[in-house]
C-alpha cells in the first residue's frame, strides 16, 4: 500500500487499541493504559507447558524447570507457549476476537504469538489450528484459531494446513467444566484429515486461542501422534492461570 493510501485509511479509520478501542498511534497495538494491565508471559516459565513461575530457578536442567502439573503428569505435546494471562485485562479482547467480529486484531495477536513462539515456529514443518466443529463454525462464521494460524504462516513462511484435523464430534462448550470433565468432553472428538500432505515424521505447530487445562490440545496431539507425527508443539494466545491459594 502506498504511504498516501495508508494515510488516507488512517484518517478514515484511525487505528484503535485492540482492547479498549481508544484511538492509538500505531495499528494493531494496545493503548498505554491497556499495555500496562495486560500480563505478558515471559521467563521464568515451565519448560514444557509454559506456565509462568513467580520465582527464578537457577538451573539448565529441563526436569527442574517443570511446573508441578507437568512433573506429575507430563503432557503428550512437546511444549506450549502462550502470549498472555487470561484475566480481567485480556478477557474482553479475547472474547471479542472469538465472538465479536474483531478479526482486525489478527495481525496484532499473531505478531505477539510470533514473538512468544519464535523457537516453536522455527522448529515446525507445518502450522495448523485446533478445528471447530462445522456446526459451531457455521454459527460463528470463522475459526479464530485458524485466522491466527494462517497469519503466523504468512509471516513465518511455514506452510499452513487448514484442516489437518477435523472435529467430528460436536461437544458442549467447556465453560464451567472441571479438568476431568474437559478431558472426557473432548475425548475422541478429532480425526485426521490428511490426504494431500504427508505428516508422518513431521513437526506440527498447533494453534489455539485460549489454553485452559490443555485438554483440547492434548486430545489433538494424541490424534496427530497416532497418525505418525513426530512432535507437536502448541502456541496459544491467552492462558487461564489458577492462582495458588
Ligand atoms: Zn486500550
Ligand atoms: Zn508445566
Amino acid at each position: 500500500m502506498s504511504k498516501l493510501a495508508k494515510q488516507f485509511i488512517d484518517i478514515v479509520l484511525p487505528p484503535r487499541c485492540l482492547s479498549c478501542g481508544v484511538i492509538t498511534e500505531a495499528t494493531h497495538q494496545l493503548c498505554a493504559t491497556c499495555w500496562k494491565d495486560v500480563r505478558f508471559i515471559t521467563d521464568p516459565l515451565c519448560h514444557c507447558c509454559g506456565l509462568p513461575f513467580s520465582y527464578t530457578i537457577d538451573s539448565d536442567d529441563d526436569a527442574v524447570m517443570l511446573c508441578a502439573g507437568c512433573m506429575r503428569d507430563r503432557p503428550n505435546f512437546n511444549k506450549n507457549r502462550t502470549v498472555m494471562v487470561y484475566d480481567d485485562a485480556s478477557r474482553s479482547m479475547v472474547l471479542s476476537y472469538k465472538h465479536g467480529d474483531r478479526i482486525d486484531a489478527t495481525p496484532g495477536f499473531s505478531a505477539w504469538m510470533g514473538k512468544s513462539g519464535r523457537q516453536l515456529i522455527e522448529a515446525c514443518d507445518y502450522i495448523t489450528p485446533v478445528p471447530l466443529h462445522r456446526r459451531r463454525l457455521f454459527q460463528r462464521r470463522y475459526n479464530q484459531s485458524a485466522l491466527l494460524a494462517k497469519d503466523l504462516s504468512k509471516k513465518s513462511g511455514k506452510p499452513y494446513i487448514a484442516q489437518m484435523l477435523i472435529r467430528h464430534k460436536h461437544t458442549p462448550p467447556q465453560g464451567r467444566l472441571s479438568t476431568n470433565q474437559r478431558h472426557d468432553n473432548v475425548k475422541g472428538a478429532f480425526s485426521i484429515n490428511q490426504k494431500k500432505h504427508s505428516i508422518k515424521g513431521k513437526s506440527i505447530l498447533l494453534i489455539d486461542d485460549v489454553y485452559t487445562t490443555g485438554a483440547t490440545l492434548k486430545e489433538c496431539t494424541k490424534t496427530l501422534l497416532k497418525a505418525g507425527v513426530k512432535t507437536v508443539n502448541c502456541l496459544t494466545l491467552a492462558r487461564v492461570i489458577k492462582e495458588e491459594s
Side-chain angles (χ1 to χ4, degrees):
M1 196 189 318
S2 75
K3 208 173 159 198
L4 196 67
K6 194 182 166 307
Q7 274 171 353
F8 177 73
I9 286 174
D10 284 351
I11 292 165
V12 182
L13 284 170
R16 290 187 178 273
C17 170
L18 291 176
S19 182
C20 71
V22 303
I23 292 169
T24 53
E25 266 179 36
T27 41
H28 314 309
Q29 281 306 334
L30 292 169
C31 72
T33 316
C34 294
W35 183 263
K36 186 167 70 21
D37 290 340
V38 170
R39 286 157 67 196
F40 289 97
I41 298 176
T42 52
D43 266 331
L45 40 79
C46 170
H47 273 197
C48 179
C49 75
L51 182 81
F53 292 146
S54 48
Y55 49 86
T56 315
I57 303 169
D58 217 8
S59 172
D60 289 330
D61 184 358
D62 239 27
V64 178
M65 293 297 285
L66 293 179
C67 71
C70 288
M71 237 183 259
R72 204 170 43 237
D73 185 15
R74 183 116 190 201
N76 54 359
F77 54 72
N78 183 45
K79 280 169 197 257
N80 167 71
R81 290 296 177 266
T82 311
V83 172
M84 59 189 164
V85 176
Y86 187 74
D87 58 8
D88 290 343
S90 67
R91 188 171 297 114
S92 65
M93 196 168 25
V94 174
L95 289 180
S96 60
Y97 187 55
K98 200 184 220 133
H99 305 289
D101 282 337
R102 279 294 313 259
I103 53 172
D104 56 305
T106 307
F109 288 162
S110 82
W112 294 346
M113 290 171 92
K115 265 190 207 160
S116 305
R118 194 171 51 83
Q119 289 170 334
L120 305 186
I121 295 169
E122 278 169 13
C124 82
D125 295 306
Y126 295 116
I127 301 180
T128 198
V130 167
L132 291 179
H133 187 266
R134 57 186 158 72
R135 204 184 306 167
R136 191 157 298 156
L137 186 63
F138 182 73
Q139 286 163 351
R140 287 209 201 133
R141 292 181 293 126
Y142 62 92
N143 174 0
Q144 69 285 358
S145 303
L147 298 179
L148 294 171
K150 214 186 284 177
D151 211 50
L152 278 163
S153 159
K154 202 171 84 188
K155 283 176 176 142
S156 66
K158 293 287 176 144
Y160 167 74
I161 300 183
Q163 289 189 311
M164 188 181 293
L165 288 163
I166 289 181
R167 197 177 199 128
H168 56 77
K169 196 168 119 189
H170 184 65
T171 49
Q174 311 230 80
R176 298 197 184 285
L177 302 182
S178 71
T179 305
N180 283 342
Q181 286 170 324
R182 279 171 182 266
H183 280 104
D184 289 346
N185 193 35
V186 292
K187 208 168 185 179
F190 302 97
S191 51
I192 289 282
N193 171 39
Q194 205 39 264
K195 292 183 194 98
K196 284 190 212 142
H197 308 264
S198 169
I199 52 170
K200 241 193 178 125
K202 300 290 184 193
S203 286
I204 307 298
L205 183 63
L206 254 180
I207 306 297
D208 206 2
D209 56 346
V210 181
Y211 184 112
T212 309
T213 63
T216 305
L217 290 167
K218 286 174 197 165
E219 191 60 30
C220 287
T221 301
K222 195 167 101 186
T223 310
L224 289 168
L225 292 175
K226 234 192 248 173
V229 159
K230 191 175 79 186
T231 359
V232 179
N233 284 302
C234 308
L235 183 55
T236 42
L237 180 62
R239 172 157 181 166
V240 177
I241 291 179
K242 279 190 225 139
E243 303 296 341
E244 304 276 326
S245 53

